[in-house]
Structures are given as structure tokens and as C-alpha cells.
Amino acid sequence: MTASPRPGSPAAFVRLARVKFLFQSMMVTGFGVGLSVYTTGAFSAPWYVLTLAFAWSTHLMTHFCNEYFDLEADRANPRPTAWTGGSRVLVDGLLTPATSIGAAFVLLFVSMALIAAMPTLFARLLACALTALAWFYTAPPLRLNYRALGEVSCAAVLYGMGPLLAAHLQAGRFSALLLWSTALVTALQVLRCLIMNLADIEGDTLVGKRTLACVVGPRRLAHVYAVGQTGLYLGVVLLASVGALPPPVALAQLVVAPVGLFVARSLLTGAMDDPGRRGDVTFWSSMQLPLTTCSTMVAALAEMMRQGRPVPPAWLAIAGLTTALFLLWLQRTAAARPRERPGVPFPTVRTGEGPATAYHPRGRKR
């Protein structure tokens, strides 16, 4: 188990930043650029670098902003996992809340400078909308994740607007393949955010944070997730059968389906009621998204090579390095992730489904 950093140390700041989640925005950027390259055959390294810098600055900004404005909910959360409940740096007093909000503002200004460097009015407007939604995810006055809008806004920012901005800065237009694939990962991200907020439901409920997971409730959420996963992957099969998705791309997306189905089965068999399994649920629901974007990017690249189309050498190198780094990180993280302590009861919360009682997904009262 990793030792806790010293108060005020650089290590505490790195933990506060939660840099492990930046692999998501890195793969989102590669996903959008890769599908653009597949459509046009062209690649601009400078615009890729600017897009990735913007993705990382806004992603980190959101982390620092959330740590500050979610502090009350994080303090009330008795059972955070490695992937939910915040970094715990502010909760443990390792850094001051002012450090977090100060870093968020610095990164907001960095993002605005990068937006100013974008070449078209459409790109700047899209990037401004993305930044605003990311900031107001937890910040007042909107506080979207306190009004059952956080799951949708998070998905729209990272997996909706993110790839569209990346593709637009490369080619200035959107292909049908990009739009279909972006719709898939955006919907998957909504489901993933439901799981993340389900893990935090006790602390959120105690402080009046009304996420969509709180509105839906643990019992119904498990079924929503299972139906959503099944429906989305049936949609991939349907789109491939009518020619809307190239078969290699559809196959790459379907290869990741067992991850979502594993999470769905875990939810339906009470995994969130089991401290030894709930960490697996949050981990794999988080990994489904970068695995999908990574496999889609690789499949589009492989299909270009199979067709004998020239692949820009710079993009081939960047895509290969990105994939290798992500897979190495995934392997090491999966091997090292902590297991939660047994014997901690499932949270007792009020979810709008009756008295303050926790529910097993199959409907059995605890």
C-alpha cells in the first residue's frame, strides 16, 4: 500500500491532481484524431499537441475544482474507493482547500489561452462550452452534479465534445463514423458516471448532493446499467450490419463489451454490497471507456493499413506510443490496485425509494 505523502509536499499535490485519470483524456484525443485521420488521411502534429494540452489542462482543472467544491461530500463519504470519493488529500488535511481552487483557476486561465490559439470560431466556441460545463460540474451557481445533471454533463464534456474538438482541429469536419462512435462512448460514459456516483451515494445523500444515481436509486440503477450496456452493444452490431461502422471498428468496440457485462453482472449480484468486490466494479467501469477509445483508434489505423492507404508516419508513431503507454499503465494499475477491507456494511441511505434503507439490486431489503 502506498504511504501517505507528507502534508504540503509535492507528492500530496500530485495525489490531489489525480493524474491517473488523464489517460482517459489522452485516449479521447487519440480517438477523435484517429477517426479523423481514417477519414481524411491527413494529420497535423501541432494541432494534436494543442488538443492534448487543452484536454489535460481542462481535465486537471476539473479535478482541482471538484476537490474544492466537493469537500463536504468527500468528508461525509465513509467508504471511498481508489476511483471514487476524491483524492482524500483535502479531507486528510495534507493541503489546504485554497491550494486546490488556486490550481483550478490557474488551469482555467491556461485553457483559455489555448482556446485563443484555436484556428476557427467553431473550435473556440466548442472549447469554451466544454470548459464551462467542466467548471460548473461542481462549482456554483450551476453545480450540475448536485442537480442530477452531472452524469450527462461529464459525458458530454469528455467523450462528446472532446473527440469532436480533436477531429475538428484536424480536419474541420465530422464524419459519420466519428459521430456514431462518439455517441457510443458518450452513452457508455453516462453509465460509468452512474456507477461512480453510486459508490459515493452515502456521503452525497448526507450533504444533499442530488446526483442522478441518487435519483435513480441503487436498485433501479443496476438494471439501467445492464439494459444500457446491452442496448448499446446491440446498436454496434446493427450499425455494422448496415455498413455504418467498418467491421474492424465494430469488432474492436465489441471486444470491450465483456468489461461492461462483467460490471453489469457484478451490480446485479450485489457487488456494491461486498467491500471486496466494489473496488473491481468502479475500476473496470472506469477502464471500459479508455479501452473502447484505444481499441477503436487502433482498429481504424489497422484498417487503413489493410486497405493499403498511406498512414501519416507521425500519427503512426504517436498512436503506437499512446497505446503502449496506456496498456502498460493499465497492466500495472490492475496488478497493484488495492482490495477493500471486508466487514464494512453497505451504506444506509435515503434514495427516494422509501425509508432510509439500502437495497440489494435484486430488490431484497437489507
Side-chain angles (χ1 to χ4, degrees):
M1 188 171 182
T2 306
S4 180
R6 291 181 293 104
S9 66
F13 188 80
V14 171
R15 180 177 292 186
L16 179 69
R18 291 183 289 167
V19 294
K20 62 188 177 184
F21 286 102
L22 295 184
F23 275 99
Q24 300 235 21
S25 46
M26 180 182 73
M27 297 315 307
V28 162
T29 301
F31 173 79
V33 171
L35 292 179
S36 175
V37 172
Y38 176 82
T39 301
T40 66
F43 172 67
S44 169
W47 289 126
Y48 169 81
V49 171
L50 184 141
T51 307
L52 184 59
F54 173 74
W56 276 349
S57 67
T58 52
H59 203 159
L60 283 171
M61 175 200 77
T62 307
H63 287 173
F64 289 121
C65 187
N66 291 352
E67 290 280 329
Y68 180 81
F69 290 110
D70 266 348
L71 181 54
E72 185 182 6
D74 290 342
R75 282 175 174 158
N77 188 341
R79 300 194 311 158
T81 72
W83 299 90
T84 60
S87 69
R88 318 306 289 176
V89 169
L90 301 187
V91 172
D92 295 339
L94 301 177
L95 291 170
T96 65
T99 301
S100 191
I101 193 63
F105 273 111
V106 169
L107 287 161
L108 174 61
F109 298 144
V110 170
S111 296
M112 297 308 294
L114 292 170
I115 290 172
M118 293 178 184
T120 67
L121 177 61
F122 178 81
R124 292 191 291 272
L125 290 175
L126 181 60
C128 282
L130 186 158
T131 304
L133 284 175
W135 182 268
F136 291 116
Y137 177 70
T138 51
L142 299 184
R143 308 199 83 182
L144 297 169
N145 203 32
Y146 285 70
R147 294 178 167 86
L149 295 171
E151 290 87 348
V152 174
S153 63
C154 178
V157 165
L158 185 56
Y159 284 95
M161 297 178 180
L164 296 182
L165 179 64
H168 176 78
L169 289 173
Q170 288 293 318
R173 60 189 178 90
F174 304 139
S175 66
L177 173 61
L178 173 72
L179 295 175
W180 284 124
S181 297
T182 299
L184 169 68
V185 294
T186 300
L188 287 174
Q189 175 69 352
V190 172
L191 296 176
R192 179 249 176 183
C193 287
L194 285 171
I195 301 300
M196 298 296 104
N197 282 337
L198 175 61
D200 292 340
I201 195 170
E202 183 177 19
D204 290 347
T205 303
L206 289 173
V207 301
K209 181 178 177 182
R210 190 171 173 79
T211 65
L212 186 58
C214 291
V215 173
V216 174
R219 180 174 57 187
R220 287 192 296 268
L221 191 151
H223 293 92
V224 167
Y225 186 90
V227 170
Q229 289 282 334
T230 303
L232 287 171
Y233 285 113
L234 287 176
V236 171
V237 174
L238 177 61
L239 289 172
S241 68
V242 299
L245 286 178
V249 172
L251 179 61
Q253 293 171 354
L254 290 171
V255 162
V256 187
V259 176
L261 297 179
F262 162 78
V263 174
R265 183 179 181 278
S266 297
L267 289 172
L268 292 169
T269 55
M272 298 303 281
D273 197 5
D274 180 351
R277 298 169 61 201
R278 68 196 305 267
D280 288 341
V281 174
T282 56
F283 175 77
W284 286 112
S285 64
S286 292
M287 291 305 100
Q288 182 185 19
L289 274 299
L291 283 170
T292 301
T293 50
C294 182
S295 63
T296 300
M297 178 184 72
V298 171
L301 189 61
E303 180 64 3
M304 287 184 71
M305 300 171 88
R306 188 193 70 80
Q307 294 173 357
R309 296 168 54 197
V311 177
W315 173 240
L316 183 62
I318 289 173
L321 179 61
T322 297
T323 301
L325 287 174
F326 168 64
L327 293 179
L328 176 63
W329 173 86
L330 176 63
Q331 186 274 325
R332 295 184 64 174
T333 303
R337 71 184 190 276
R339 306 294 291 187
E340 296 180 44
R341 299 192 309 272
V344 181
F346 191 74
T348 298
V349 297
R350 188 175 298 278
T351 63
E353 294 182 332
T357 308
Y359 285 89
H360 186 284
R362 287 178 175 169
R364 184 179 72 249
K365 286 187 179 181
R366 297 281 301 174

